[in-house]
Amino acid sequence: MTVTGTANVHPDVITNRMGISDVTVVMTPSNGGGVGRDIIISSNIAYTGTLARNLTFKSTNNITVNSGVSITSSSAALSVVLHSASGTNPDHGRIT
């Protein structure tokens, strides 16, 4: 799933897709160039499927998981990858 503008993705969209396959959320640079944009995870993501999955977040800038928010799996292995500074400028990008 690639986001090219400002977007709010409901956690159910992510977990429903994880029922089918691994999920990668990509935040591309704005203005077709190097202006980095952030991913902010502000709601819990609770995977309940029975197959092992990978959930990857890729941003050309920062990734923030808000305080009190969790990413969990109740039935199967879940690998979570937070990849900041995935663009051309490796000096940008924090994970908090």
Side-chain angles (χ1 to χ4, degrees), residues 5-6 9 18 23 27 36 44-47 68 70 83 91:
T6 301
V9 179
M18 287 171 51
V23 173
M27 185 61 106
N44 292 334
I45 299 172
Y47 174 60
S70 61
H83 183 190
D91 294 331

Side-chain angles (χ1 to χ4, degrees), residues 54-93:
N54 297 304
L55 174 58
T56 303
F57 294 92
K58 292 177 80 173
S59 171
T60 56
N61 206 32
N62 302 319
I63 299 175
T64 300
V65 180
N66 284 351
S67 179
V69 171
S70 61
I71 301 172
T72 61
S73 175
S74 60
S75 301
L78 175 61
S79 172
V80 178
V81 177
L82 305 175
H83 183 190
S84 67
S86 62
T88 59
N89 189 344
D91 294 331
H92 291 258

Side-chain angles (χ1 to χ4, degrees), residues 1 11-24 46-55 76 78:
M1 151 179 353
D12 288 348
V13 172
I14 294 172
T15 56
N16 288 342
R17 183 65 187 171
M18 287 171 51
I20 300 167
S21 66
D22 294 333
V23 173
T24 300
Y47 174 60
T48 58
T50 57
L51 298 174
R53 291 288 182 226
N54 297 304
L55 174 58
L78 175 61

